[in-house]
Amino acid sequence: MSVVLEVEHLTKEFQRDDVATVALRDFNLTIEQGTFVTILGRSGCGKSTMLNLLSGLSKPTSGRVLHRGEAHTGPTPDIGYLTQTDTLMPWRSVRRNVEMPMEIAGVEKSEREAKALDLVATVGLSDFADNYPRELSGGMRRRASLARMLANGAETILMDEPFGALDAQLRSELQVELLRLWSRTGHTIVFVTHDIEEALLLGDRVVVLGPLGTILLDQEVDIERPRDPDETKVRPRFVELHSTLAAALKKGAR
Ligand SMILES: Nc1ncnc2c1ncn2[C@@H]1O[C@H](COP(=O)(O)OP(=O)(O)O)[C@@H](O)[C@H]1O
Ligand SMILES: [Mg+2]
């Protein structure tokens, strides 16, 4: 398997006045192509900081991020990034939001319109293609954001707690849809969450982070796919891995 992202001795400090806050210290990680990697950690442990660095949006204080062997010089269209908060344009309909990355890339009008409608259908929003973000529920906005990110044609996808604010039922539905999408497309996904069940249900591998992005555990998830949420959560191996991850998180908090 080929390596898509490689992180070497990554450190990130935030400087404000005379005070430096270290968010991430000497972090190392390798992401293989086509894998679904979940990053599990409590609030404040540096997850979003790490994704910002992986995406190329932010620059490390020291160390480096390699994307297909090349150091980042900035964000690249090959890496899609779904941030924690919605960034849909309120004055554009769902369809026009999804078209936006293609407009920026200079894709011709009829082609981008067709592709946008296709993506809107992929995320189950066909009936809402002409609605505006304010007319959508939180879950629908997340779907629209996902479609817009996919419009970039990125092969690698970074997701920062994308379903964190949704109710349990909706979250479960979107998890299943994401898995379906991933199995069909073969994307490489790095998915950040603070939820143990979500990390296990989705990932081929769960990387558990402690304070300052210390890797507490790097656990392969040897549970077969497809993984139906209700059925998977009661499997003995799932329950066992759940305890292992919970123990790792707890140890990290001490
Ligand atoms: N722009 C910033 N300026 C100063 N400190 C920051 C900034 N972004 C994050 N931090 C600090 O870095 C640490 C990690 O934050 P973050 O990566 O957002 O954690 P997580 O996503 O795991 O909740 C926290 O202590 C946070 O306060
Ligand atoms: Mg965060």
Side-chain angles (χ1 to χ4, degrees), residues 188-236:
T188 306
I189 301 187
V190 182
F191 185 107
V192 160
T193 180
H194 60 262
D195 186 281
I196 300 180
E197 279 194 354
E198 183 168 66
L200 273 177
L201 194 65
L202 299 177
D204 291 317
R205 174 182 165 204
V206 181
V207 179
V208 186
L209 298 191
L212 306 181
T214 316
I215 295 183
L216 301 170
L217 184 70
D218 192 337
Q219 174 71 51
E220 185 203 341
V221 183
D222 47 358
I223 297 175
E224 68 191 43
R225 297 184 188 269
R227 298 181 190 157
D228 168 74
D230 296 328
E231 191 250 328
T232 305
K233 284 173 195 170
V234 295
R235 287 197 200 174

Side-chain angles (χ1 to χ4, degrees), residues 158-172:
L158 312 176
M159 304 177 90
D160 196 357
E161 309 202 34
F163 310 142
L166 307 176
D167 67 70
Q169 190 54 44
L170 194 55
R171 171 188 268 224
S172 186

